[in-house]
Amino acid sequence: LRYLVFFVVGALIAKHRHALTARWRGQSRRVHLLLGVAAFVLYTYARVLSSVWDAPMARDAEDLLVGVGASVLIVWLLASSRAQRAMERPPLVFLGRISYSLYLLHLLVLFALVRAFSPGVSVYLLLPAALVLSVVAAWASYRFVELPSMELG
């Protein structure tokens, strides 16, 4: 329930992306820069900024600041023709297609490698292998689970 508000905000951004991007494009470069820097600071330094609040509210404040920063950055990227061209590149399209499976599987792959090779092999040496194996596993899941499921309706 804690993150429901962020899900709803993301859904609203997706639903109203055309109006939001049109409004963004209507702003001056100065406003773009100001909002971009503010969003970056909120997203990156939320923990520092939220430390002003006391313990129970600090975590909620941090989440709120990160959410606001991320939302502004997402609208900025949606409005950017340069970002859209970058996202149309085949490697990024591929990662977008397998992203859900990658999200589901990456920790399982990493934990399996750590369990299989620990303590003899450093986790830092296992990370590149985990990355490659995660992408391969995500592709297989997309190809043999997601696509057939989508074809079923």
Side-chain angles (χ1 to χ4, degrees), residues 35-108:
L35 287 174
V37 168
F40 178 78
V41 168
L42 289 175
Y43 184 80
T44 308
Y45 298 105
R47 178 161 294 188
V48 174
L49 297 171
S50 68
S51 66
V52 174
W53 287 284
D54 238 351
M57 285 184 49
R59 181 69 181 168
D60 293 332
E62 181 181 339
D63 288 346
L64 179 64
L65 294 173
V66 168
V68 169
S71 297
V72 173
L73 290 171
I74 288 167
V75 171
W76 187 4
L77 290 172
L78 286 172
S80 167
S81 58
R82 183 179 292 162
Q84 286 183 1
R85 282 192 307 275
M87 295 304 243
E88 291 169 355
R89 293 187 178 166
L92 293 180
V93 171
F94 171 74
L95 286 176
R97 284 201 177 111
I98 68 166
S99 63
Y100 182 66
S101 290
L102 188 59
Y103 162 73
L104 292 176
L105 297 172
H106 76 283
L107 280 178
L108 293 173

Side-chain angles (χ1 to χ4, degrees), residues 125-142:
L125 293 175
L126 294 176
L127 287 176
L131 176 65
V132 171
L133 290 174
S134 294
V135 169
V136 170
W139 171 82
S141 176
Y142 174 76

